[in-house]
Amino acid sequence: MNLITVANNYGFGSMWYWARRALMLAVIATAACTPVRKEVIGGPTIGPSSFFGPGPASEAPPLLTDPRAIAAALKRGGYVIYVRHGRTRYEQAELERDNRKSGVFDLAKCDTQRQLSDFGRTELKFIGDQFRRAQLPLDRAYTSRYCRAIESAAYFVDKAEPTQKLSNEAEVGLNPENKPRTLAFFAEKPTPGKNNFMMAHGGLFWEATGFVIQEAHAVVLDPDNLKTLVARIAPNDWPAIADAALAR
C-alpha cells in the first residue's frame, strides 16, 4: 500500500497534506517525550502546534517590526489582520481526523473538534483586551466556522461573521482551485481607512500563502501583495502596539 492509497483511505488526497500530517505526528511524538514546561503568555507554543511557528529561518523578515510602525500602519488602514485561534488542547490533535473518518465530525458540535485550552482562553483574554484598547479601525470581521475560532474571535471583536471560506483547513491543499479562492478572499480590500479582521487556522494559512503562523499569533497582510508579510505580531507585542496606537 503506497502513501497515496493511505492518504485516500484517511480521506486526504493530497500528498502535501499527508506529508504535513506526518510531520505533525512526529512533533507530537517528540513532545510526548519532552518534560512538561509551564506555559506563559506570549511564550513559545508548547506541543504539536509549534509545527506552524515561528517562521522558518529562510523566511524574509516582515516589512515592519517596530510596534510604533505597525500601529501607524494599522491606524491608516488598508490591511488584513489575520489571527490564528488561541492555544488548543494538544491531546486532541488527531480528534478531528478520527471523527471525520468515523463520520461524526460536525462544525456545529464543538465536542467533535479540537478545542481551546484553559490557558489558551487566558492568553486570548490578555491579547483581546490589548487589541480592543488599540481601537484599530475595522471594516469587516470574519471567523472560521470552527468552534475554537469563533470563541477566539469573540475576545477581539463584538461580532465576526463565520464563513466557510476560512473553514476549509483540510481542503485548501487538496484541490488546486481552493488556493486561489482562499488568496482571493485574503485580497479583498477593506473600506479605505479601515482593516479587515480574520480569525482562522494555521494549516489553511500555510497551504494558501506558504507562511506559518503560531497559535494566538497574528500577521498583517497587504491585500495587494500577499507574497510579503507586512508584520508578525506575537501575543506580547500587543500592549506596545496599543500604546503606540493611542498616542497617535
Side-chain angles (χ1 to χ4, degrees), residues 7 15 25 41 57 59 75 79 82-83 113 119 128 138-139 142 145 151 154 159 183 192 198 210 218 228 231 235 237:
M15 288 292 290
L25 286 172
I41 291 177
E59 180 182 292
K75 291 293 280 189
Y79 297 99
Y82 185 102
V83 186
Q113 306 166 35
F119 179 83
L138 298 181
D139 185 13
Y142 299 103
R145 294 173 58 212
E151 185 178 354
K159 185 177 181 179
L183 289 174
M198 298 182 184
T228 302
D237 293 334

Side-chain angles (χ1 to χ4, degrees), residues 77-80 183-184 186-190 221-228 230:
Y79 297 99
V80 174
L183 289 174
F186 291 167
E188 290 184 4
K189 293 184 179 181
L221 302 172
D222 180 350
D224 289 325
N225 180 13
L226 297 175
K227 295 182 178 181
T228 302
V230 176

